[in-house]
Amino acid sequence: MNHVCNNVHAILRIILNNKNMDDSNCMANDTVYMDYQATTPCDRRVLERMLPYFCDDYGNPHSQHSLGVTANDAVENAREQIASLIGVRDRREIVFTSGATESNNLAIQGIARFYREKGNRIITTTIEHKCVLEAFGALSREGFDVVFVPVLSDGRIDLNAFRSSINDRAIFASVMWVNNEIGVCQPIEEIGKICRSHGVIFHSDAAQAVGKIEVDASHVDLMSISGHKIYGPKGVGALYVTMQPRIRLSPLLWGGGQERGMRSGTLATPLCVGLGAACEIAALEMAIEYERLVRLRKCFLEKVFDALPMVQLNGSSEHCIPGCINLSFEGIEGESIMMGMPEVCVSSGSACTSKSLEPSYVLRAINVKEDLSHSSIRFGIGRFTTMDDVEYAVEKLIKVVERLRSMSPLW
Ligand SMILES: *Cc1c(COP(=O)(O)O)cnc(C)c1O
């Protein structure tokens, strides 16, 4: 019943006007949320586990007294849950942060600054999240020698170009596990092997991968995780930092030396507990949920391709997560599609870049033609998406695409 969001619930809720009656995470009105890459709703089971740590067990986890110990136990339990999801044995290798943006910045700036005597070359790809690209940009202005490795037209990294980007001055590489715009998965194990054989430290932004697909930390040296992408709370994340061999980081924040000196500041116990709970639930449900999303994706794509000509799937259909579907609708603008179906929450391009009306740099990197990248929409499905939601969204989408095309001079 937790995950059932059917009309009966919605109608009952309206009749009874009682928001607490329904413990599922469905939306109150006729709006369908299809933007799971931008953020996910916090699972109510996660929220329940967090609540005691606001007003009852509020001790500072770094305090020695009983309230502190209670909070610390909860934080360490959460650390264990995160470690377990990504196959890490020693929970001390998990550092809490405020989210994947901070995790990425801590990893990238932290390694570059700590190891700057060893070399100045740092490597990433052209399709990383803005926070990774901008961190590399800042380091480039400090004099680091940045290489942006291209991807192929399916969105997967060009491994030959990656190999040749490594020279004897190379310190580290950062390659995302799963892309947030096109859902494409990178060959992390292979990249990890290349890095290891050249003594290059390897970081991966796994914000879109953890909790969705099997993620094995043994392929990387550092990994970024975000709470709100996996049905946890916003404002918390984690950075896995291997201790074998030990990786050192210059901290971004100086202070009390918490998190083994890498991230000072009092830990937000409720948020840490929430991230831990989110990881525990993901570990339990990921396999079944993955298969369910595969079926929803298949149904969505079949219905769209049956009804509409000249639709293109962007990115790899083979190496991708099922929950991210990026489509281009020839002849019309993505923005117009979005505005034409306000009942369906989607993104045109990436949420961060769509405001600028610039075509997405990710779509450009995979050689999507400029007009087709302007006509792209990202449909994100996840834990609380039902088959009804998919059917409803497709129905709205087909109507708006047909209407816009009938008015378009380009069509
Ligand atoms: C959302 C996201 C981020 C940023 O995470 P926050 O927790 O919101 O800071 C970084 N990388 C990827 C791939 C993301 O999807």
Side-chain angles (χ1 to χ4, degrees):
M1 149 116 175
N2 251 345
H3 301 135
V4 180
C5 170
N6 56 31
N7 290 335
V8 179
H9 282 104
I11 292 163
L12 273 176
R13 181 158 47 188
I14 292 160
I15 294 171
L16 298 172
N17 191 24
N18 180 355
K19 287 194 181 74
N20 297 323
M21 183 215 83
D22 186 348
D23 64 354
S24 77
N25 284 67
C26 67
M27 295 175 78
N29 45 33
D30 57 357
T31 305
V32 169
Y33 185 73
M34 285 209 170
D35 203 10
Y36 277 80
Q37 281 70 44
T39 193
T40 62
C42 184
D43 193 304
R44 287 188 197 282
R45 294 170 291 178
V46 168
L47 177 64
E48 292 296 332
R49 305 248 201 113
M50 292 168 60
L51 288 175
Y53 298 95
F54 283 97
C55 305
D56 300 322
D57 298 323
Y58 51 78
N60 185 323
H62 316 291
S63 296
Q64 306 295 312
H65 50 66
S66 60
L67 269 173
V69 169
T70 303
N72 186 58
D73 287 350
V75 165
E76 292 310 312
N77 181 50
R79 215 188 285 281
E80 190 72 49
Q81 290 165 322
I82 300 163
S84 162
L85 177 62
I86 59 172
V88 167
R89 280 209 206 97
D90 188 343
R91 68 167 188 267
R92 289 176 305 166
E93 295 178 315
I94 304 297
V95 174
F96 283 107
T97 66
S98 64
T101 299
E102 186 187 336
S103 297
N104 287 337
N105 273 278
L106 176 57
I108 294 162
Q109 297 189 55
I111 303 168
R113 300 226 166 85
F114 193 89
Y115 292 96
R116 73 186 330 158
E117 266 97 75
K118 205 185 141 220
N120 68 339
R121 172 155 292 191
I122 55 179
I123 301 159
T124 188
T125 79
T126 51
I127 61 164
E128 299 297 310
H129 191 272
K130 267 277 163 68
C131 64
V132 169
L133 296 178
E134 294 295 331
F136 274 84
L139 291 169
S140 157
R141 289 189 290 279
E142 279 179 32
F144 283 93
D145 171 22
V146 178
V147 180
F148 294 100
V149 176
V151 293
L152 306 170
S153 60
D154 65 354
R156 301 251 288 175
I157 192 167
D158 182 339
L159 280 173
N160 289 327
F162 182 75
R163 265 187 219 96
S164 15
S165 75
I166 298 175
N167 64 9
D168 53 7
R169 302 274 294 148
I171 314 171
F172 82 96
S174 179
V175 179
M176 72 200 317
W177 210 295
V178 171
N179 181 270
N180 48 299
E181 279 192 49
I182 51 179
V184 170
C185 309
Q186 298 298 339
I188 294 298
E189 187 173 356
E190 274 177 273
I191 300 168
K193 279 183 189 148
I194 297 170
C195 288
R196 201 152 295 173
S197 70
H198 289 87
V200 170
I201 297 170
F202 182 32
H203 164 255
S204 182
D205 173 1
Q208 297 286 350
V210 167
K212 315 221 155 96
I213 55 172
E214 283 299 334
V215 163
D216 182 348
S218 71
H219 303 320
V220 303
D221 298 308
L222 303 99
M223 183 198 304
S224 300
I225 300 172
S226 171
H228 74 101
K229 303 297 177 75
I230 56 171
Y231 311 97
K234 292 169 180 58
V236 67
L239 179 66
Y240 157 72
V241 186
T242 187
M243 288 171 69
Q244 39 194 324
R246 185 160 174 214
I247 302 278
R248 308 287 299 275
L249 296 175
S250 297
L252 297 174
L253 306 174
W254 299 98
Q258 291 92 345
E259 300 299 272
R260 293 166 52 225
M262 286 186 268
R263 209 284 190 168
S264 285
T266 303
L267 283 173
T269 312
L271 297 180
C272 297
V273 166
L275 177 54
C279 287
E280 188 188 67
I281 294 170
L284 291 171
E285 300 183 349
M286 188 164 67
I288 292 169
E289 177 63 5
Y290 183 92
E291 293 307 324
R292 196 183 70 88
L293 291 179
V294 166
R295 289 195 295 276
L296 289 184
R297 174 192 180 91
K298 190 164 169 278
C299 167
F300 180 88
L301 286 174
E302 271 171 16
K303 284 180 189 295
V304 170
F305 284 116
D306 278 354
L308 300 170
M310 309 301 268
V311 179
Q312 171 180 306
L313 178 73
N314 297 314
S316 169
S317 50
E318 189 187 342
H319 304 285
C320 65
I321 54 162
C324 182
I325 308 169
N326 191 311
L327 297 175
S328 285
F329 301 87
E330 206 158 297
I332 47 181
E333 297 267 318
E335 304 279 322
S336 320
I337 300 174
M338 269 183 71
M339 280 187 274
M341 46 173 210
E343 308 88 348
V344 187
C345 300
V346 289
S347 276
S348 61
S350 154
C352 324
T353 51
S354 59
K355 273 185 218 115
S356 65
L357 287 180
E358 282 263 309
S360 142
Y361 63 87
V362 174
L363 296 182
R364 197 184 310 146
I366 61 170
N367 286 324
V368 173
K369 278 187 294 164
E370 177 140 347
D371 52 336
L372 275 182
S373 78
H374 279 297
S375 73
S376 86
I377 295 278
R378 180 185 66 191
F379 300 88
I381 56 178
R383 184 174 291 169
F384 304 106
T385 311
T386 63
M387 191 59 93
D388 281 352
D389 292 339
V390 167
E391 282 167 4
Y392 179 79
V394 169
E395 187 189 305
K396 296 283 175 201
L397 173 71
I398 291 170
K399 264 195 203 131
V400 69
V401 170
E402 282 175 344
R403 182 167 56 80
L404 290 170
R405 278 180 172 172
S406 71
M407 305 182 316
S408 166
L410 298 168
W411 182 247

